[in-house]
Amino acid sequence: MDERLLGPDAAQAVRAQVHADADAGRRVLLLARTDEPLIGEALPAGGVPVAVVTFRENVRPDAAETLDYFHAQGVRTVVISGDSPRTVAAVAREVGLEVAGQAYDGRTLPDEPGELADVMAEHSVFGRVSPDQKKAMVQALQSRGHVVAMTGDGVNDALALKTADLGIAMGNAAPATKAVSRMVLLDGRFDRLPRVLGEGRQVIANMERLAHIYLTKTTYALLFGVVFSLFAWQFPLLPRQASTVDFIMIGAPTFFLALLPNPRRYVPGFLGRALRFAIPSGAVILLSMVTLQTYVRLTAGDVDLPRQQGLHDHPDPAGPVGAQRDVPAAERARGGPHPGDVRGAGRRRAGAGLPLVPPDGGPAHGRARGRAGDRGARVRTDRNHPPGAPPPRGAGAGRRGGLRPLSGGPGAPPPGSRTTPTPARRRRAAGTRRPTRWAAPRPPRPGDGRPG
């Protein structure tokens, strides 16, 4: 308080009263009267004090609890205000902050960023701070590696809110302040901030947990492809097995891990920690699988893996597709259906192994399709073909599958059994059968390899 404006005696008395009110946490406004004209922003001398007006700060009821939470979480709280340092210090003590003496007067703050950062490291409560100084203080904290979040509601806080890493405005703040903020507390409740901090930490920490699992899966899959290719071994997992492993190792665990609470604060170095976890884990899984494969190959020498996989001859006539491909065509014509045709297994039950002999003892009709190594030929069965009648022309050109006897012969399918719904059969069933040309059977010749 300038004595030149009020005089020595009046200034001394008013100063004592103003300090007492400020130490009690009140804002003080002095009203004075003068007869001199006002020139510019400078106050004229010779003012006479008229009244001292005080405003009591309305501290939020949840402020103390919120600051205690941040202190327990390792978050440092700094109070920056444009009010009197005495008033700011009193309010800070009311919410539980430890302040020795009065707050640091912002009018004595250094302009050099390094010195300002040193002052910010030593003090936590500041008064008489201008809007430009608030911005400089935020930048000083950021220069020391701090992540700064700032709350405010006045226009003089807009610059600092825009500069901070996270600007938080109250719901009743000025429009300009809310426009530059990244978060607005619509209800103006200060106790929302602990929940915001907790959810942010949970998301970041749980993402790191999930990254460990996904990177582990990627690591061992990559190592499987490289190592088993070098050993010329078959890949150890089938697609359905890999899907099951992914569900057990990734799908189910990550669903629960993503929902678990995690109050751990963010620590830089996410990628390094994830790789230090994933690479050793993937190497252990690879070593386990290689050990298992080596043990099976050394102890299961009597097991013919190619035979089990259907790559060589199979003793069962209804064996896997591709078995007994070395059977000659003549042998298949005499002996019946191809042993490796599993698609014709159901149709071969009645006539498998029977020679192609018509019921009247005449020559067999039908030609074996393909060359040696084909799946064999069969004679198409016609339920409408009367027994003993000459076969229709081209009856032997049936589709691939096992050989079947002519209609009415021994082992023929019983009436009413399902046959292939060809277009010709559909026409016959509908009564629109077209005329059929019959060809006389050729008598058998010696040495032609056909059954007589």
Side-chain angles (χ1 to χ4, degrees), residues 191-272:
D191 58 350
R192 303 293 189 186
L193 295 180
R195 184 176 178 181
V196 172
L197 178 63
E199 290 186 0
R201 287 184 173 180
Q202 177 183 357
V203 171
I204 295 176
N206 287 343
M207 285 181 61
E208 184 171 343
R209 284 180 174 177
L210 303 185
H212 290 174
I213 299 178
Y214 281 102
L215 289 179
T216 300
K217 185 257 182 182
T218 304
T219 301
Y220 78 72
L222 178 62
L223 293 177
F224 278 3
V226 173
V227 174
F228 281 85
S229 298
L230 294 178
F231 289 167
W233 291 354
Q234 185 180 3
F235 194 79
L237 297 177
L238 297 176
R240 58 177 178 272
Q241 296 171 342
S243 300
T244 304
V245 172
D246 291 345
F247 173 76
I248 296 176
M249 294 185 59
I250 299 177
T254 54
F255 175 79
F256 296 100
L257 290 177
L259 302 178
L260 290 179
N262 195 336
R264 184 176 66 87
R265 63 183 301 177
Y266 171 74
V267 180
F270 159 75
L271 183 59

Side-chain angles (χ1 to χ4, degrees), residues 307-366:
R307 182 181 296 276
Q308 296 295 331
Q309 297 174 359
L311 301 180
H312 294 304
D313 296 348
H314 200 283
D316 187 3
V321 177
Q324 294 191 3
R325 294 184 181 272
D326 55 347
V327 180
E331 182 70 19
R332 291 197 302 270
R334 291 194 302 269
H338 190 283
D341 190 358
V342 296
R343 288 174 292 182
R347 298 191 298 267
R348 293 197 305 269
R349 294 176 181 177
L354 295 177
L356 295 179
V357 180
D360 55 355
H365 295 275

Side-chain angles (χ1 to χ4, degrees), residues 53 63 184 189 231 277 285 322 342 382 402 446 448:
V53 182
V184 178
R189 294 181 56 179
F231 289 167
F277 178 89
I285 297 176
V342 296
D382 188 358
D448 58 356

Side-chain angles (χ1 to χ4, degrees), residues 19 22-25 77-93 97-109 119-120 122-129 137:
H19 287 175
D23 292 337
T77 305
V78 179
V79 180
I80 304 174
S81 177
D83 296 333
S84 170
R86 292 178 178 269
T87 304
V88 177
V91 175
R93 295 188 188 96
L97 296 180
E98 297 181 0
V99 182
Q102 66 180 16
Y104 193 94
D105 195 338
R107 292 170 292 188
T108 61
L109 285 174
V119 174
M120 295 290 297
E122 297 176 2
H123 301 274
S124 299
V125 181
F126 299 85
R128 294 288 185 229
V129 181
M137 296 171 74

Side-chain angles (χ1 to χ4, degrees), residues 29 31 67 86 110 120 170 186 200 251 308 317 335 386-387 406 435 437 447:
L29 177 62
L31 299 180
L67 294 179
R86 292 178 178 269
M120 295 290 297
M170 298 299 172
L186 297 179
Q308 296 295 331
L406 295 175
R437 298 178 59 184

